[in-house]
Amino acid sequence: MDSYLDWHHSNIRAGAAQYFFRQFFYKNMTGMDPPKDSIKEAFMILHKSCALIEKIWLHDKYLFGAEPSIADLSLACELA
């Protein structure tokens, strides 16, 4: 689970945070439209990360067993 949480911060969080910032805050903070390529890039990081979660960790209802864990809560916060 520790390995997943480390991976989560570098992948899911990075993609989600970059996408959200570029899509919703960039223009307010810079006065310019965000580069469309950077929004697409952040979305692709998030999309690829979600695909890896499904492939590697999500074999049941929760990431690590029959009960929700801190990993599930962390994931839910990023995707909500």
Side-chain angles (χ1 to χ4, degrees), residues 2 4 9 11 16-17 19 27 29 33-34 40-42 45 51 53 58-60 65 70-72 75 77:
D2 287 338
Y4 166 80
H9 292 295
N11 293 276
Y19 178 79
K27 187 169 186 166
M29 294 180 76
D33 288 331
K40 288 180 185 178
E41 178 185 351
I45 292 169
I53 286 173
L58 193 59
H59 301 291
D60 204 351
I70 190 70
D72 296 290
L75 179 60
C77 288

Side-chain angles (χ1 to χ4, degrees), residues 35-60:
K36 298 293 181 191
D37 289 344
S38 70
I39 293 172
K40 288 180 185 178
E41 178 185 351
F43 181 79
M44 289 308 299
I45 292 169
L46 183 57
H47 186 270
K48 287 178 183 180
S49 297
C50 287
L52 282 174
I53 286 173
E54 287 184 40
K55 181 179 179 180
I56 298 171
W57 291 287
L58 193 59
H59 301 291
D60 204 351

